């Protein structure tokens, strides 16, 4: 079942999109549906945000004030900087108009006249692809003043980031659009009351918005039948690591991980065993091989074993992988990306990285394992934004689930690795 | 030199027109800062103190604020760099597919370390975080624009040669 990355050649082109029913939902909605009808449909569909937190989209939209003197804004989050995530760029490339149509429907639903698409600066190519699609849609009267002859008007602008993972966090993203450093804001006030330039603002992920046209077109009952009812629809699984065919696969929620790995990704390279899988981008607690063998990929199933679906960026690691080195690299990332506003995050991420480095250098002590857990627990929940948690979770859970890997290194037993992080592409 | 002259030196008339258009995208023209800094960097390769001051005059933003912004975002260069900026990803998906070895290979080959530029001013190399292209690991970005994917030593050798030829 594909909702977004449909198997239609050249769907990125406006005329092909139109000839496959594109923008007809917008047309119909502007004629036959009130803004509240759209919000109710999205609410009933149980669509949950695809940006990492799984927050119910319809509910989020109801936080926006209905009557206000102030302008309202939509931020479309295409920062996509969580290591292991590369799905939104696939939408920009393969089906940008469905994302644009979804953005327009969302703006209509919430009474928004300006939407900003925040895209990470490195996605230069994809920024240009989306800009082309936006330009084409402007020319055809789908975006701009008096859309399709109605009195609904909305502009869509791209805002290019400049390299900062933290700008994916919604309040940092708004500061970045305002021309400031990407510092997360203390909440409350929440964006729906005090967002961009102090005005009511909603932030949604690109994939979330790309789902909207199909939900409005086919109705919530149709959507609820796809995948897991509590987390319905499809997910764009971006799968990387030691598999034969890495890539983005759109599959129903609840698809077993092993189906993704074996049936879609061509299995493990050289038929090796799995050692660890990160299920949803590097901040999500990892899965052991045993967990990987049986897990279904949806919010509830992953939560039940102490992990989360995140951005559905799946990183698969084989038996030769040095887990402690991987964790050190993850910690190095969060240390580098911490904006430094909160002491637990700024100091804690440095501690985590240094302790892991020490263990990898053969200077670790067994007490270090408790120290790692302790430091991560002191970061978790004590910071302005969730980057602190994102840094803490992988450490806490990797130490818990793969403790023997750490102990072997500390006790200097040979960690049976034929080659450290065997190089596949450089052979 | 007054502000106007500065800006004419920094930007062409077309660019100034473009900047006016960008400003109209935001209710507050200060929000045009990132896009304007991108214009400067794409034109000059980096953002100098003088450029920051000119941009400040143009958008009515204090220099200190601009300096803070330029140094916050990793893609903005506040120092001149080589003609070809090689940014090699060593984050997890790339690392487990040989990203670190690739970085070391390039570093040894060019005789420079992380964030250094070759003596002929041609190449600057940098180890970077995930570039959102993990499916094609190991990979690197060149000059903040092009992605080069599924890299091998052979591909790197060929690519460096081509980039060198293109930029002398
Ligand atoms: C450190 C950090 C980085 C984030 N990066 C992204 C991102 O790159 N893309 C994204 O859509 N959401 C990201 N988020 C989540 C956003 O804050 C926000 O919840 C999301 O964009 C809301 O969209 P959704 O409800 O449609 O999922 C990040 C959150 C944190 C704490
Ligand atoms: S948790 Fe970290 S990244 Fe988030 S605001 Fe605090 S210091 Fe900045
Ligand atoms: S880890 Fe290198 S591109 Fe994502």
């Amino acid at each position: 079942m594909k909702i977004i990355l449909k198997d239609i050649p050249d769907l990125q082109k406006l005329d092909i999109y139109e000839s496959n029913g594109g923008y007809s939902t917008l047309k119909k909605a502007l004629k036959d549906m009130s803004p509240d009808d759209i919000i109710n449909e999205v609410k009933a569909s149980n669509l949950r945000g695809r940006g990492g937190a799984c927050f119910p989209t319809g509910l989020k939209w109801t936080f926006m004030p209905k009557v206000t003197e102030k302008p309202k804004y939509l931020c479309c989050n295409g920062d996509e900087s969580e290591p292991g995530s590369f799905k939104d760029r696939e939408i920009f490339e393969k089906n940008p108009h469905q994302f644009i149509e979804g953005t327009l429907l969302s703006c209509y639903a919430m009474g928004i006249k300006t939407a900003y698409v925040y895209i990470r600066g490195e996605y230069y190519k994809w920024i240009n692809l989306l800009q082309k699609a936006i330009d084409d849609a402007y020319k055809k009267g789908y975006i701009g003043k008096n859309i399709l002859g109605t009195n609904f008007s909305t502009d869509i602008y791209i805002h290019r980031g400049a390299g900062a993972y933290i700008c994916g966090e919604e309040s940092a993203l708004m500061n970045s659009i305002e021309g400031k450093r990407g510092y997360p804001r203390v909440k409350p006030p929440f964006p729906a009351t005090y967002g961009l330039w102090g005005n009511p603002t909603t932030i949604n992920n690109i994939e979330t918005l790309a789902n909207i046209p199909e939900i409005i077109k086919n109705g919530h009952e149709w959507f609820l039948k796809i995948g897991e009812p509590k987390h319905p629809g499809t997910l764009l699984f971006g799968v990387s690591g030691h598999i034969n065919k890495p890539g983005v696969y759109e599959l129903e929620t609840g698809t077993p991980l092993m189906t993704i790995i074996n049936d879609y990704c061509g299995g493990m390279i050289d038929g090796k065993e799995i050692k660890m899988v990160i299920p949803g981008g590097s901040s999500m607690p990892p899965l052991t091989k045993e967990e990987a063998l049986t897990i279904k990929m949806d919010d509830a199933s992953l939560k039940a074993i102490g992990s989360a679906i995140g951005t559905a960026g799946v990183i698969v690691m084989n038996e030769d992988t040095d887990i402690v080195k991987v964790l050190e690299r993850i910690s190095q990332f969060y240390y580098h990306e911490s904006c430094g506003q909160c002491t637990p995050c700024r100091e804690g991420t440095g501690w985590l990285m240094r302790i892991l480095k020490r263990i990898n250098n053969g200077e670790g002590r067994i007490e270090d394992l408790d120290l790692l857990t302790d430091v991560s627990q002191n970061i978790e929940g004590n910071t302005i934004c969730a980057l602190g948690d994102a840094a803490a979770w992988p450490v806490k859970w990797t130490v818990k689930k793969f403790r023997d890997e750490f102990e072997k290194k500390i006790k200097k037993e040979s960690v049976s690795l034929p080659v450290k992080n065997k190089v596949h592409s450089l052979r | 030199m007054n502000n106007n002259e500065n800006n004419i030196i920094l930007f062409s008339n077309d660019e100034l027109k473009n900047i006016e258009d960008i400003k109209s995208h935001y209710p507050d023209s200060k929000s045009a800062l990132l896009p304007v800094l991108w214009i400067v960097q794409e034109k000059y390769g980096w953002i100098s103190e003088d450029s920051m001051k000119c941009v400040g005059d143009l958008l009515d933003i204090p220099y200190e604020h601009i300096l803070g912004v330029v140094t916050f975002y990793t893609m903005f260069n506040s120092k001149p760099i080589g003609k070809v900026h090689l940014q090699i990803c060593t984050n997890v998906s790339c690392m487990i597919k040989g990203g670190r070895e690739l970085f070391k290979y390039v570093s040894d080959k060019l005789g420079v370390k992380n964030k250094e530029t070759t003596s002929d001013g041609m190449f600057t190399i940098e180890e970077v975080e995930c570039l959102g292209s993990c499916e094609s690991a190991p990979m690197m970005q060149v000059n903040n624009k092009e992605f080069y994917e599924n890299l091998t030593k052979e591909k790197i050798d060929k690519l460096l040669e081509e980039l060198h030829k293109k930029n002398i």
Side-chain angles (χ1 to χ4, degrees), chain A residues 166 184 337-342 345-346 383-385 387-388:
Chain A
I166 192 60
E337 300 300 328
S338 167
C339 84
Q341 285 190 104
C342 331
C345 174
R346 183 184 62 236
T383 55
I384 294 177
C385 88
L387 185 138

Side-chain angles (χ1 to χ4, degrees), chain A residues 81-86 89 120 123 240 315 329, chain B residues 88-96 99 128-140 147:
Chain A
S81 302
E82 170 92 351
S85 311
F86 46 95
R89 74 167 191 177
R120 62 179 301 172
Y123 277 2
S240 64
I315 311 176
R329 187 63 189 82
Chain B
I88 300 169
C89 173
T90 61
N91 210 307
V92 177
S93 298
C94 285
M95 168 186 163
I96 63 173
V128 294
E129 297 299 353
C130 175
L131 292 168
S133 192
C134 323
E135 60 183 317
S136 54
M139 59 81 62
M140 73 169 174
F147 280 12

Side-chain angles (χ1 to χ4, degrees), chain A residues 315-381:
Chain A
I315 311 176
V316 183
M317 292 172 234
N318 71 16
E319 53 191 306
D320 300 337
T321 313
D322 186 333
I323 301 293
V324 189
K325 283 216 162 136
V326 166
L327 188 63
E328 182 194 328
R329 187 63 189 82
I330 292 177
S331 292
Q332 182 189 330
F333 171 75
Y334 291 106
Y335 170 67
H336 182 254
E337 300 300 328
S338 167
C339 84
Q341 285 190 104
C342 331
T343 315
C345 174
R346 183 184 62 236
E347 302 299 324
T349 50
W351 270 85
L352 295 175
M353 182 185 73
R354 286 190 299 272
I355 299 168
L356 286 160
K357 190 166 267 163
R358 166 161 100 204
I359 297 175
N360 275 319
N361 287 344
E363 295 152 8
R365 298 177 289 249
I366 205 76
E367 307 87 81
D368 281 347
L369 298 183
D370 290 338
L371 188 58
L372 282 171
T373 312
D374 203 43
V375 174
S376 34
Q377 272 162 356
N378 278 315
I379 303 176
E380 207 179 324

Side-chain angles (χ1 to χ4, degrees), chain A residues 45-89:
Chain A
S45 79
N46 210 359
L47 173 66
R48 317 261 302 266
R50 306 301 199 228
C54 260
F55 195 85
T57 307
L59 179 63
K60 186 187 270 190
W61 289 5
T62 62
F63 299 155
M64 289 290 270
K66 285 216 159 59
V67 190
T68 167
E69 297 286 293
K70 293 179 169 179
K72 297 186 246 185
Y73 296 100
L74 177 68
C75 297
C76 313
N77 193 344
D79 191 54
E80 188 145 87
S81 302
E82 170 92 351
S85 311
F86 46 95
K87 64 184 180 71
D88 294 334
R89 74 167 191 177

Side-chain angles (χ1 to χ4, degrees), chain A residues 166 169-199 201 203 339 341-342 383-386:
Chain A
I166 192 60
E169 195 279 336
E170 54 188 29
S171 58
L173 182 147
M174 294 189 294
N175 278 340
S176 183
I177 292 180
E178 290 182 15
K180 299 174 185 156
R181 281 180 280 194
Y183 281 161
R185 301 176 182 173
V186 179
K187 282 166 260 182
F190 291 98
T193 42
Y194 194 93
L196 270 178
W197 304 286
N199 301 307
T201 304
I203 299 97
C339 84
Q341 285 190 104
C342 331
T383 55
I384 294 177
C385 88

Side-chain angles (χ1 to χ4, degrees), chain A residues 84-144:
Chain A
S85 311
F86 46 95
K87 64 184 180 71
D88 294 334
R89 74 167 191 177
E90 201 79 359
I91 301 177
F92 296 141
E93 186 164 337
K94 305 264 169 66
N95 200 355
H97 286 289
Q98 189 168 318
F99 156 69
I100 294 172
E101 189 173 2
T103 299
L104 292 164
L105 286 162
S106 312
C107 287
Y108 176 64
M110 288 179 276
I112 290 170
K113 291 201 171 65
T114 313
Y116 296 100
V117 191
Y118 191 97
I119 307 183
R120 62 179 301 172
E122 294 89 347
Y123 277 2
Y124 180 80
K125 174 181 158 191
W126 293 273
I127 289 171
N128 287 338
L129 291 174
L130 181 68
Q131 189 62 57
K132 161 95 176 63
I134 290 177
D135 292 346
D136 290 348
Y138 260 107
K139 274 183 218 136
K140 275 281 193 104
Y142 295 126
I143 316 177

